[in-house]
Amino acid sequence: MRVRAKLWRIKNSKAVCHLCYNLCQIEAGEAGFCGARYFDGRELVTKNYGVISAIENRPMEIKPFYHFYPGSYALTFSTFSCNLDCPWCQNWHLSKEREFRGQYVGPEELVAMAVAKKSHGLCASFNEPTILFEYLLDVFSLAKKKGLHTSMVSNGYMTPAALKELSGVLDAINIDVKGDEEIYKLISRRENLKGVWRNVKLCLDLGIHVEVIHLVVSGLNDSMEKFEGILRGMERYAQSYVPLHINRYFPAYRYVHPPTSVEFLYKAREKAKEMLEFVYVGNVGGHENTYCPECGRLLIERRGVVKVYMEGNRCKCGKEVYGRF
Ligand SMILES: [Zn+2]
């Protein structure tokens, strides 16, 4: 469904979109980099409001959220397209699609589905949810009224203005930091790595629960030198308690390099643990447990059933653990 977009203005008879860091300047009759935001000459409209490509009830651990209501389920939904263009995209069948031919599901209908399926929350994932900005505001606002939690799995490339508006209705975000400036030059219209890191910090300041994902792509960023860049970002913009997920890549879309070396992933985890409390390796089969960074006790067990061994958000030793439990 087409609706008037938020966050744009007219400049030199073009529409400048302020939803994400690409800051597309869109001529009349054209769409921005994401293909979803179209300037009709009078106003910027979104072509994908409520156009849904997939809906599935999924555990938070799969996304991955490890410190946000472990063991709970969120009705997870997506649309098509993306505001970045990664040649190794793991969800390319959705992200590279620029025709918005999905079923229309209104916000009320989607939230009613979550309630009917006894989901604990709603999560926007699979493709980049920023593209669904106007829809997310409506869906998440309704979800909050029903007592459901709200989350998104994102590349964090939205503008701070977009993030601030979302923060009124968004409980948790996973931000995928891709690597260094060179990578963002390759995949975006306008490189802004620093902006992604600043958004990590902004989420913490706004009280949004945040976990960081980093996909280690073979032949691209699978060196300890590049990985240390991620750790410097965590040190500067996040806190030592923010969970870091180091994820394994598999060949997809235009990228044919072999899957990431598991040995490298574990080496990276050891390095990260020198400064971060919670570091997880993902996409290697199964899920990792959470242990207390102070005393080493098992806090959250993820073997089939998720079990939380904490009192509130504290370990038996008294250590406070970041997250919502
Ligand atoms: Zn402890």
Side-chain angles (χ1 to χ4, degrees):
M1 193 169 93
R2 290 188 176 212
V3 303
R4 190 177 197 274
K6 292 178 176 234
L7 300 177
W8 61 279
R9 63 189 171 88
I10 299 276
K11 189 184 169 192
N12 302 331
S13 70
K14 290 177 192 167
V16 185
C17 180
H18 286 259
L19 176 60
C20 89
Y21 287 137
N22 285 327
L23 299 173
C24 292
Q25 301 194 17
I26 310 168
E27 305 250 14
E30 290 187 1
F33 189 85
C34 65
R37 297 167 86 77
Y38 172 84
F39 182 40
D40 67 5
R42 284 184 312 115
E43 57 182 23
L44 192 70
V45 294
T46 75
K47 296 203 270 186
N48 64 343
Y49 183 98
V51 178
I52 299 302
S53 58
I55 307 178
E56 205 183 315
N57 206 24
R58 300 189 118 207
M60 299 314 287
E61 283 68 29
I62 277 184
K63 305 184 178 308
F65 280 105
Y66 273 16
H67 289 237
F68 184 75
Y69 300 112
S72 74
Y73 276 70
L75 191 69
T76 308
F77 59 96
S78 57
T79 183
F80 302 96
S81 92
C82 191
N83 56 342
L84 295 180
D85 190 15
C86 306
W88 52 85
C89 182
Q90 307 281 293
N91 279 320
W92 61 274
H93 54 291
L94 297 177
S95 68
K96 306 300 176 186
E97 183 60 69
R98 291 294 181 275
E99 297 291 325
F100 299 94
R101 288 198 206 106
Q103 53 172 329
Y104 176 75
V105 184
E108 294 82 5
E109 196 185 338
L110 189 71
V111 174
M113 278 171 79
V115 172
K117 286 180 185 291
K118 299 194 170 19
S119 310
H120 306 93
L122 277 136
C123 179
S125 184
F126 306 133
N127 82 312
E128 174 51 45
T130 299
I131 311 294
L132 273 177
F133 181 66
E134 291 77 9
Y135 183 70
L136 292 188
L137 290 172
D138 293 344
V139 167
F140 287 167
S141 161
L142 280 173
K144 296 306 298 168
K145 284 179 192 148
K146 295 282 181 192
L148 301 169
H149 58 61
T150 57
S151 58
M152 65 194 277
V153 180
S154 175
N155 56 32
Y157 221 64
M158 70 286 277
T159 57
L163 196 50
K164 280 177 194 160
E165 201 160 338
L166 278 168
S167 72
V169 290
L170 179 69
D171 295 323
I173 189 167
N174 236 323
I175 294 186
D176 178 0
V177 182
K178 312 275 179 187
D180 59 12
E181 286 93 345
E182 293 311 309
I183 292 183
Y184 284 94
K185 278 181 198 160
L186 181 73
I187 63 177
S188 71
R189 181 166 267 179
R190 201 183 273 260
E191 180 276 313
N192 198 349
L193 167 64
K194 204 175 267 180
V196 176
W197 280 120
R198 282 185 178 147
N199 279 348
V200 171
K201 181 171 189 313
L202 181 59
C203 286
L204 291 169
D205 293 344
L206 291 168
I208 302 170
H209 172 84
V210 59
E211 303 191 16
V212 173
I213 305 178
H214 176 59
L215 183 72
V216 181
V217 181
S218 311
L220 184 86
N221 56 12
D222 60 343
S223 72
M224 205 43 88
E225 193 191 336
K226 299 242 179 192
F227 184 69
E228 279 167 8
I230 295 294
L231 294 183
R232 281 195 296 276
M234 289 296 288
E235 190 166 32
R236 182 155 178 205
Y237 298 98
Q239 297 284 339
S240 57
Y241 54 73
V242 171
L244 174 68
H245 299 267
I246 309 168
N247 277 359
R248 189 179 196 204
Y249 134 98
F250 287 93
Y253 192 51
R254 295 199 187 125
Y255 222 72
V256 293
H257 282 67
T260 325
S261 136
V262 174
E263 193 192 345
F264 177 83
L265 295 168
Y266 287 127
K267 224 160 66 182
R269 182 177 66 180
E270 287 319 299
K271 185 79 197 163
K273 275 189 165 176
E274 290 171 12
M275 54 175 283
L276 300 174
E277 293 187 345
F278 306 105
V279 186
Y280 305 99
V281 164
N283 296 349
V284 293
H287 293 296
E288 298 206 312
N289 296 331
T290 299
Y291 297 93
C292 176
E294 288 290 330
C295 72
R297 272 194 186 88
L298 175 63
L299 297 177
I300 308 168
E301 191 177 11
R302 299 183 184 85
R303 282 199 194 96
V305 182
V306 178
K307 286 183 191 155
V308 180
Y309 304 103
M310 281 192 287
E311 286 149 17
N313 62 340
R314 281 186 194 277
C315 173
K316 284 198 176 77
C317 77
K319 165 78 182 163
E320 199 177 329
V321 176
Y322 176 66
R324 301 193 193 173
F325 305 103

